Amino acid sequence: MNLRPAVALCLLLLLSAAAGAAAAPPDSLLGVSLVSGKGGPALSVPMQIVILLTLMTLLPAVIMSVTPFLRIVVVLHFLRQALGAQSTPSNQVLVGLALFLTLLLMQPVATEVYTQGWAPVERGEVTLAQGFENGSKPLKTFLIRFAREKDVRLFLEVAKAPAPRSPADLELRVLVPAYILSELKAGFQIGAVLFLPFLVIDLVVASVTLSIGMIQLPPVMLSAPFKILLFVLVDGWNLVVGSLMKSFY
């Protein structure tokens, strides 16, 4: 499996957290002065290590926030709560499933980021700033597809940025938080819909137990097996995961 596109996408996402990279002067990188080297300005090895470790600490948050991982993991947690299974599947299983689904969805974007941004930088054809600008275009296209206009307008006002002439002119500092809000809204909407059939089962079971005088028996204990049985009979995992994946195409 070729990991270069995924690595290139991660690097681009990390660099987007420091949006000033594209506008930095030639003798600096992310605001850090460069030292002279044989091939031109370069960072000293200790400074490279410090910057790399700092960026790596942001990697989990970036992956969770600026990819389909956000919507998928929110929906899966809502589904587990709707089923009444508080710890099954475990958090590790849900996060692992969300991560692999995210890798599957983001592979085309990661490939474009690598081809347009990182590969020319590796070959020395463009500078790092130019590579960042070229590589950010596929990511912007992906974010624009799912960021709501209302959320984009909100962060344009917060950032006090002028209205762009076209969606492609939006900056990542505006697109990223707008995308996160939009994905949270979409995840909660899907979660609310998932709750409805299981809520009906809870209401029916609670009404039956009260009508026959079983007041001391929690209705949740009786409704949980029926909800799990219904979910298995309709092949719920296939339906939920399939619908989630199709919502990104």
Side-chain angles (χ1 to χ4, degrees):
M1 179 179 179
N2 189 1
L3 295 179
R4 284 190 171 186
V7 172
L9 177 62
C10 292
L11 288 173
L12 176 66
L13 292 175
L14 289 174
L15 288 174
S16 67
D27 60 344
S28 67
L29 176 65
L30 300 178
V32 179
S33 298
L34 304 178
V35 297
S36 299
K38 293 182 179 179
L43 283 172
S44 61
V45 174
M47 185 57 67
Q48 291 180 21
I49 295 175
V50 170
I51 293 177
L52 179 61
L53 292 178
T54 302
L55 293 179
M56 288 298 292
T57 59
L58 301 175
L59 183 59
V62 169
I63 292 178
M64 288 187 294
S65 302
V66 198
T67 62
F69 182 91
L70 178 59
R71 183 192 302 187
I72 295 172
V73 78
V74 168
V75 171
L76 292 180
H77 276 82
F78 269 116
L79 175 62
R80 186 175 65 180
Q81 290 182 353
L83 287 171
Q86 299 301 322
S87 58
T88 304
S90 63
N91 288 333
Q92 290 84 351
V93 173
L94 294 184
V95 171
L97 176 60
L99 181 60
F100 281 104
L101 293 178
T102 300
L103 291 175
L104 181 61
L105 289 169
M106 293 299 291
Q107 182 178 0
V109 180
T111 302
E112 290 185 21
V113 169
Y114 174 77
T115 303
Q116 299 181 20
W118 188 251
V121 174
E122 281 187 325
R123 295 192 296 265
E125 298 175 357
V126 297
T127 63
L128 182 60
Q130 293 172 334
F132 173 82
E133 183 66 25
N134 296 335
S136 64
K137 292 178 181 178
L139 180 61
K140 285 183 179 181
T141 302
F142 173 81
L143 297 179
I144 289 170
R145 286 175 55 196
F146 302 103
R148 298 188 307 160
E149 182 180 350
K150 183 178 180 180
D151 296 325
V152 172
R153 192 182 307 115
L154 169 64
F155 288 102
L156 282 174
E157 295 175 359
V158 172
K160 294 181 173 57
R165 290 174 296 179
S166 65
D169 296 331
L170 287 169
E171 299 179 3
L172 285 175
R173 62 172 181 155
V174 173
L175 272 177
V176 169
Y179 171 83
I180 294 174
L181 283 190
S182 301
E183 287 298 283
L184 285 175
K185 178 180 173 61
F188 273 72
Q189 286 177 332
I190 298 173
V193 173
L194 285 176
F195 256 101
L196 293 179
F198 301 111
L199 180 61
V200 173
I201 295 178
D202 285 333
L203 292 175
V204 171
V205 172
S207 300
V208 172
T209 54
L210 289 176
S211 63
I212 62 179
M214 301 174 62
I215 301 176
Q216 296 182 350
L217 181 64
V220 177
M221 293 184 61
L222 293 177
S223 63
F226 289 103
K227 291 190 289 187
I228 294 174
L229 181 61
L230 173 65
F231 189 71
V232 172
L233 288 177
V234 300
D235 198 5
W237 286 111
N238 184 279
L239 290 175
V240 172
V241 173
S243 300
L244 272 175
M245 298 293 283
K246 291 176 183 177
S247 67
F248 287 99
Y249 288 102

